[in-house]
């Protein structure tokens, strides 16, 4: 059950990462500050995804 919620959270984060990457690639950042902010958001979300993935694996391994 919790695995489903984690999957939904991962999807939401990866969708947000993709949206930010597309915005940066399209040149939608008006200045360097916006660019840095977007890059920081991407890095933070990617770190969160790694943490969630690790948690999921630990939970699956503890069921065995």
């Amino acid at each position: 059950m919790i695995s489903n919620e984690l999957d939904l959270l991962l999807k939401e984060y990866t969708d947000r990462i993709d949206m930010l990457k597309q915005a940066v690639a399209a040149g939608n950042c008006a200045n360097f500050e916006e660019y840095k902010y977007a890059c920081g958001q991407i890095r933070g979300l990617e770190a969160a995804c790694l943490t969630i993935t690790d948690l999921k694996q630990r939970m699956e391994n503890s069921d065995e």
Side-chain angles (χ1 to χ4, degrees):
M1 180 105 132
I2 291 178
S3 182
N4 292 338
E5 284 89 5
L6 292 176
D7 287 336
L8 287 172
L9 193 56
L10 273 173
K11 176 156 179 23
E12 188 172 324
Y13 286 177
T14 54
D15 288 348
R16 177 76 176 147
I17 290 168
D18 290 341
M19 185 180 71
L20 287 164
K21 285 181 177 181
Q22 289 174 4
V24 169
N28 291 340
C29 297
N31 54 42
F32 188 64
E33 293 301 316
E34 285 185 18
Y35 172 80
K36 284 189 345 183
Y37 180 78
C39 289
Q41 289 285 305
I42 292 167
R43 272 184 255 144
L45 289 166
E46 286 177 342
C49 287
L50 289 174
T51 301
I52 292 168
T53 301
D54 183 49
L55 175 62
K56 254 183 83 173
Q57 288 176 347
R58 288 182 187 189
M59 290 171 55
E60 290 169 359
N61 290 339
S62 71
D63 289 341
E64 295 175 358

